[in-house]
Amino acid sequence: MLFNTIFTLFWAATFAAAFPFFSLPTWHSSPRSVETASVEPVAAETAPSPAGAPGGFCGWVAVEKPAQPATESTAQITQNSEDKPQDEPSAPSQTLTPSVHWSWDTTSLKNVEPVAAKEDSPMYYGESDPTKEGYFAFLTYRFTLPSVNLDHSDHAHAEYTNDGSLKVIFKTSDSFERATGSWNTDKDLLLIATAKGCTGPSAEDRCYFRATGIAVDKENKTVTATGAPEHPENVMESAETEWGMWAPHNSTFGNATASGGKSFNYTANGTGNGSFDPPRDTHGLTTASFGQSFDSYLDDALGYHELQSDAEAFLDQIIADGEATGAARSSNGSCSRLASGELRRRHVLHARGFWKKLWHGVKEGIKSVYNTVADALTIKGDFNEPVSWDLPGANFPIPKETSPWSDNSIALFKHQKSSESGEFQEHVNIYCVDCGVSGQAVFSGKAKITPLKGIFDGELAMRTNMKMVLKVGIDAQVKFSQNIQHDLFTFGLPGLTYGIVTVGPYISVAAKVGLEAAAKGKLLVGGEMGLTQASAVLYIFEPGKSTAAGWTPYFKPVMDAEGELMLAATAALPISIKVGLKVASFETALGIVEEPAISAVAQVAGTASYNGENGFQGGLKDFGGCAGIATSLNWSNRLSLDILGITSKVLHDTGFQPIVKGCLNLTKPKSKVPNTLGMQSSASDEPHRFTNTSIASTASSAPFRKGNTKENSTCSDSDNEHLQVFKDGHQFGLAPLLTTTGTSMLTSCNDGNIYVAAAKNETNKKCNTMWPTSNEAIIPFDGGLNVMHYYSDAMNAVGVSRLRSSPAYKIPNNAVVTVLVPAPAADGSFFYMAADASQQVFYPIVCDFANGAVPRVFLAKDMSAGVQMLEGGSVAKSITGAKVEKCFGLSMTPQI
């Protein structure tokens, strides 16, 4: 008992430190009776507050917390917190109201009989219509006395009387006799009902009425119970809860079993086994109801597996061939200029026998011209993530400044000092440039509780899509070494409250920078990182069981250097996504810390010296073939389990991965730049200034704007202007995928679908409009570097299939990996077709929908037959997901 109390107090203190803004009353675990107090109805809050008035009903008791002695670390935390607003921004919470699950047989007379003490008494919260999506929750009590849940029966209802009694009115003689024959009038009975005026643990919950006396009226078929409302914590031996997101027909992500033994399924995280028997159409294909969950249900019905070795080898070969082609373009570090992109494409496409054989069976080219005015911002795919964020956002209370790179910058550190003569002034300014995090997530979880142990078992499942922008700008004229950590913002995500349970998720973002500088110049380093359907299952008391998948992001780098400098910087963007859980008077918390990081060095290839009075002096020389600014860039990603602010287990760690090494050539200004300290070259007395703009741009809001890269000693032709993305040690060019006319573009989204929208700068943050492209103009992945695939069962049955993309750890069964390959047309141009490892070729087809949804892309063996099948309507519930208005062959031109 003493150990339990000490253990509980330890968790309480740790929770308070980890979640200072999560406004829940402090708890203790010693046995106690919750006093009753009257409560006026109030609007739903993010978390229930303790009632203070005696004589009625209350939920929780606040316990004063001893003051924590100040230490150096806590003093630092206090100092940091003073810089932040007192009330962190947060999204509104959602309260689930009591309901009866559709699997429960409310007509059974057995429902008026008591559930024996210590047996399961289940409560359901959320939507009672199985055709509607939304949060659900089960809360199962094991009470210390018999209980009857009157909401579970159609044969009776309860009324709370003015004198504080609970009157139960029976509709039939059978139900009245069944109840009065089984209710023991000599012992207390817990009656559970939704009755106006009888308040539960919260204003929205059921009433738990402890009946100490019962009066039976046979003539009117009523039973009047005397007693008082009781807090369920006072009369429970144990309880367990489970919550998640319900999607109609979704049945492989998770499984919660109702009291009647029927399976209740919900959207959480899992691999799926496809074991249930779904409905099928006349072609024998699995069908699903129209709606946002259409595709996920079909994939769930198939089940999932990791990317198989033969498919992985197919993609690896494409990547290797593309890298070999790229390497052939450069000899001994110098750039040998190629012919036009058209001739290069012809060369690389016709030189390889594998791709050359593909076109023998192609009967016709895609000649149709397709345009759409559909707006990518209107895409409403199966994102099914009720929790979303886009931080910091325009209205977030965080000070922003203008830096040399952007007006949207956050100052992380500033230092300025003048020399004694006043002629030289050293400074270092460090900014987080355009930093932010956007994403969506869905949470589900379980917990078990007893009055003595508190929460003794708990798990949290989450799935998330995220885009993270981390760019650190350093403007320095100083010899300087510093490690900096700066909390950027914290945001309370939409929470959930039901019964005696409160779930409070939040996200916090910080910036960590390590800097070594001996420089007069500027360095911008970082980029955009992205995750699609990354998932984790976390266990609070058994962290070793925690698992994670899909946490290796793509990386679009940025590096921009200027001046006479040696700058080495390491920057990280720790993103904490945590969930605080309160059940009755007990609390706990767990989550993950996602920490993408970059490491960069930019150094003048020469000698330099520095002193505080005169600044920098030095000269240039060739070093390792570079007479300019030598650069290197590395990235990493680390995912850790966080329990109450304590990192207990590393779930995923890529380590630092090399991205690029380069040499930024010096450029001589036509005229001397005022107030510029020049480093004297050993070959010339003229001052030199080193400049280079970013090697890649990550401006997703302007997908067609190429980086205005200047000279680079490795290669100086126009191909260097292409954007780049890196994943798993491989580098890809990035380019938009446009229709032949250039007025429409393909966009791949987090829901796994590929859409066609009007080509413009403003895009949906849940989608990518830039496509990874090999040096052979082959597109091996979608814009999020997920694996593209079609479905063999559909293609074999009807000659058409959905075209989707999935992360490598979660490929639907029957999915066949495919890539987009430029096919030669008779007039010498090229258009994209899809091809798989068995050298089958498919036509991309785009369909407009009668409901006005954004057009999406499908594949067909034969273009004419495929258009006819998709428009015919027989595959609406198995492939297209909506009524099709018109379909067209989709002609797309390589953008190289």
Side-chain angles (χ1 to χ4, degrees):
M1 181 62 188
L2 176 62
F3 173 78
N4 287 335
T5 302
I6 294 173
F7 181 78
T8 301
L9 290 173
F10 165 76
W11 283 107
T14 310
F15 180 91
F19 290 81
F21 71 93
F22 191 48
S23 302
L24 297 177
T26 308
W27 57 269
H28 62 77
S29 65
S30 57
R32 53 141 172 81
S33 176
V34 180
E35 300 276 338
T36 60
S38 61
V39 176
E40 295 294 332
V42 294
E45 298 175 349
T46 302
S49 299
F57 182 84
C58 89
W60 295 273
V61 173
V63 178
E64 186 173 351
K65 204 167 44 176
Q68 185 178 20
T71 63
E72 183 177 350
S73 60
T74 58
Q76 180 64 41
I77 293 172
T78 303
Q79 176 65 36
N80 289 341
S81 66
E82 290 177 355
D83 296 333
K84 297 186 295 183
Q86 294 298 315
D87 296 321
E88 296 288 358
S90 63
S93 177
Q94 179 180 355
T95 298
L96 299 183
T97 56
S99 186
V100 178
H101 190 258
W102 52 85
S103 66
W104 196 275
D105 182 8
T106 57
T107 64
S108 173
L109 290 176
K110 187 175 179 59
N111 293 331
V112 300
E113 296 180 0
V115 174
K118 300 182 181 180
E119 291 189 3
D120 289 356
S121 182
M123 312 293 157
Y124 173 71
Y125 298 83
E127 181 60 58
S128 60
D129 184 349
T131 65
K132 296 181 179 179
E133 296 185 359
Y135 269 118
F136 81 93
F138 282 107
L139 178 55
T140 301
Y141 292 103
R142 296 171 191 92
F143 294 113
T144 58
L145 65 161
S147 62
V148 179
N149 188 341
L150 296 170
D151 288 351
H152 283 168
S153 176
D154 290 339
H155 304 290
H157 72 274
E159 296 177 357
Y160 190 62
T161 63
N162 293 332
D163 61 358
S165 299
L166 190 69
K167 185 177 181 180
V168 183
I169 304 169
F170 293 89
K171 298 179 181 179
T172 65
S173 297
D174 289 343
S175 61
F176 174 76
E177 292 173 2
R178 181 75 71 98
T180 55
S182 59
W183 294 9
N184 191 336
T185 57
D186 296 330
K187 294 183 179 180
D188 289 0
L189 177 68
L190 189 66
L191 298 176
I192 306 165
T194 301
K196 184 178 180 180
C198 188
T199 310
S202 66
E204 299 83 9
D205 201 9
R206 296 177 175 93
C207 172
Y208 296 80
F209 189 90
R210 184 170 189 159
T212 56
I214 292 177
V216 178
D217 183 347
K218 293 184 178 180
E219 182 178 352
N220 295 310
K221 298 192 289 292
T222 64
V223 173
T224 301
T226 57
E230 184 67 271
H231 191 290
E233 185 179 355
N234 291 336
V235 289
M236 76 177 188
E237 182 181 74
S238 64
E240 58 185 80
T241 185
E242 183 171 4
W243 79 91
M245 174 61 63
W246 165 256
H249 310 299
N250 200 335
S251 57
T252 59
F253 276 116
N255 189 315
T257 303
S259 185
K262 297 184 179 180
S263 179
F264 177 70
N265 299 286
Y266 65 93
T267 300
N269 297 281
T271 56
N273 54 26
S275 60
F276 67 103
D277 187 20
R280 299 182 181 275
D281 64 10
T282 56
H283 306 289
L285 300 176
T286 300
T287 62
S289 299
F290 294 160
Q292 293 185 355
S293 299
F294 174 81
D295 288 286
S296 63
Y297 171 70
L298 292 179
D299 288 351
D300 292 345
L302 293 171
Y304 301 92
H305 63 271
E306 291 189 6
L307 184 67
Q308 295 177 342
S309 57
D310 54 346
E312 187 174 6
F314 169 59
L315 294 174
D316 286 344
Q317 184 61 51
I318 292 172
I319 295 170
D321 290 343
E323 290 175 339
T325 303
R329 294 169 55 202
S330 177
S331 176
N332 298 323
S334 61
C335 179
S336 56
R337 190 168 185 85
L338 295 175
S340 70
E342 182 71 23
L343 293 178
R344 176 167 62 84
R345 286 196 301 274
R346 286 174 179 272
H347 170 74
V348 299
L349 288 169
H350 288 282
R352 293 189 50 225
F354 179 84
W355 298 120
K356 189 174 182 179
K357 295 177 183 178
L358 291 179
W359 319 126
H360 292 166
V362 176
K363 298 190 225 174
E364 55 183 324
I366 304 176
K367 300 176 183 179
S368 59
V369 177
Y370 178 79
N371 292 308
T372 181
V373 295
D375 192 336
L377 295 176
T378 65
I379 293 175
K380 297 179 180 179
D382 182 19
F383 301 116
N384 196 27
E385 282 106 8
V387 178
S388 62
W389 59 91
D390 186 2
L391 303 173
N395 300 319
F396 199 91
I398 185 170
K400 297 179 182 179
E401 297 187 11
T402 298
S403 72
W405 301 274
S406 171
D407 293 334
N408 185 29
S409 300
I410 301 170
L412 303 179
F413 181 84
K414 286 190 173 184
H415 168 79
Q416 186 168 309
K417 180 181 177 182
S418 298
S419 63
E420 293 182 2
S421 65
E423 296 179 0
F424 172 72
Q425 186 179 79
E426 67 177 30
H427 70 269
V428 57
N429 299 323
I430 303 176
Y431 301 92
C432 205
V433 180
D434 298 325
C435 291
V437 180
S438 63
Q440 312 86 41
V442 59
F443 299 98
S444 63
K446 301 177 182 179
K448 296 180 180 180
I449 182 175
T450 68
L452 291 178
K453 294 181 180 180
I455 299 174
F456 67 92
D457 189 13
E459 66 180 80
L460 173 70
M462 64 176 296
R463 185 184 68 232
T464 183
N465 303 310
M466 265 197 290
K467 285 185 180 180
M468 304 155 281
V469 177
L470 170 63
K471 292 185 283 184
V472 174
I474 301 166
D475 178 7
Q477 182 174 316
V478 69
K479 186 174 183 180
F480 189 79
S481 177
Q482 183 75 22
N483 292 319
I484 301 160
Q485 180 162 348
H486 187 90
D487 293 334
L488 296 179
F489 33 82
T490 297
F491 185 77
L493 301 174
L496 193 66
T497 299
Y498 59 93
I500 61 171
V501 179
T502 298
V503 181
Y506 82 99
I507 181 171
S508 63
V509 181
K512 294 164 62 175
V513 179
L515 173 65
E516 295 284 343
K520 179 191 183 300
K522 300 179 180 69
L523 173 67
L524 178 68
V525 63
E528 176 190 298
M529 289 148 279
L531 297 165
T532 303
Q533 296 188 41
S535 65
V537 180
L538 314 176
Y539 295 86
I540 187 168
F541 294 107
E542 296 180 275
K545 291 174 59 178
S546 299
T547 59
W551 292 89
T552 299
Y554 67 79
F555 183 45
K556 300 177 184 178
V558 166
M559 193 165 184
D560 192 358
E562 174 185 313
E564 305 98 12
L565 74 167
M566 191 295 290
L567 288 174
T570 300
L573 194 73
I575 302 166
S576 297
I577 301 178
K578 301 181 186 179
V579 175
L581 174 64
K582 178 178 173 62
V583 183
S585 58
F586 303 92
E587 299 171 5
T588 189
L590 72 164
I592 54 99
V593 179
E594 158 75 356
E595 186 167 324
I598 52 96
S599 175
V601 175
Q603 182 173 3
V604 169
T607 61
S609 62
Y610 169 91
N611 62 67
E613 186 65 25
N614 299 314
F616 290 90
Q617 302 291 326
L620 291 172
K621 65 178 183 180
D622 187 290
F623 180 76
C626 177
I629 300 179
T631 62
S632 65
L633 187 64
N634 305 275
W635 73 274
S636 71
N637 195 56
R638 178 186 176 98
L639 180 73
S640 304
L641 173 64
D642 184 292
I643 301 177
L644 296 174
I646 302 172
T647 301
S648 60
K649 177 181 173 62
V650 176
L651 301 175
H652 180 73
D653 191 352
T654 63
F656 271 105
Q657 303 289 323
I659 294 178
V660 65
K661 289 185 178 181
C663 179
L664 309 182
N665 269 356
L666 62 90
T667 59
K668 297 183 180 181
K670 296 181 179 180
S671 60
K672 292 185 178 181
V673 180
N675 301 319
T676 298
L677 295 177
M679 296 188 67
Q680 301 300 318
S681 168
S682 57
S684 171
D685 291 335
E686 296 182 26
H688 298 280
R689 186 167 180 260
F690 301 89
T691 63
N692 188 76
T693 56
S694 60
I695 61 171
S697 170
T698 64
S700 59
S701 62
F704 311 121
R705 186 194 328 151
K706 295 183 178 180
N708 51 346
T709 306
K710 297 183 182 180
E711 293 184 359
N712 182 293
S713 64
T714 303
C715 185
S716 59
D717 73 34
S718 61
D719 282 21
N720 287 321
E721 296 183 357
H722 288 173
L723 313 183
Q724 295 175 326
V725 63
F726 295 80
K727 187 171 184 179
D728 297 330
H730 299 291
Q731 170 186 339
F732 304 93
L734 280 174
L737 185 50
L738 303 177
T739 57
T740 303
T741 59
T743 57
S744 300
M745 66 180 180
L746 269 71
T747 179
S748 59
C749 297
N750 289 340
D751 66 345
N753 288 329
I754 297 171
Y755 300 91
V756 180
K760 63 177 186 177
N761 286 341
E762 193 173 12
T763 61
N764 193 317
K765 289 192 175 183
K766 298 176 183 178
C767 305
N768 285 283
T769 57
M770 304 299 284
W771 293 74
T773 308
S774 76
N775 286 294
E776 293 182 315
I778 296 170
I779 299 177
F781 305 104
D782 77 347
L785 273 75
N786 296 304
V787 179
M788 292 185 290
H789 53 80
Y790 67 90
Y791 297 83
S792 60
D793 57 344
M795 192 65 75
N796 294 335
V798 294
V800 295
S801 169
R802 295 177 292 152
L803 173 62
R804 283 175 53 78
S805 59
S806 301
Y809 80 91
K810 193 179 178 185
I811 303 295
N813 296 333
N814 292 338
V816 180
V817 173
T818 188
V819 298
L820 297 180
V821 184
D827 60 1
S829 63
F830 290 88
F831 60 95
Y832 273 115
M833 294 188 69
D836 63 18
S838 63
Q839 300 191 29
Q840 293 189 86
V841 180
F842 305 97
Y843 292 91
I845 294 176
V846 59
C847 291
D848 293 335
F849 296 100
N851 61 6
V854 176
R856 61 176 284 193
V857 182
F858 303 90
L859 294 182
K861 287 183 179 179
D862 179 88
M863 187 167 61
S864 298
V867 167
Q868 184 177 355
M869 175 60 68
L870 292 168
E871 291 179 345
S874 65
V875 294
K877 289 192 174 182
S878 56
I879 295 179
T880 61
K883 184 179 179 181
V884 168
E885 188 172 86
K886 189 71 175 175
C887 295
F888 307 86
L890 184 60
S891 179
M892 302 169 287
T893 303
Q895 301 297 308
I896 294 182

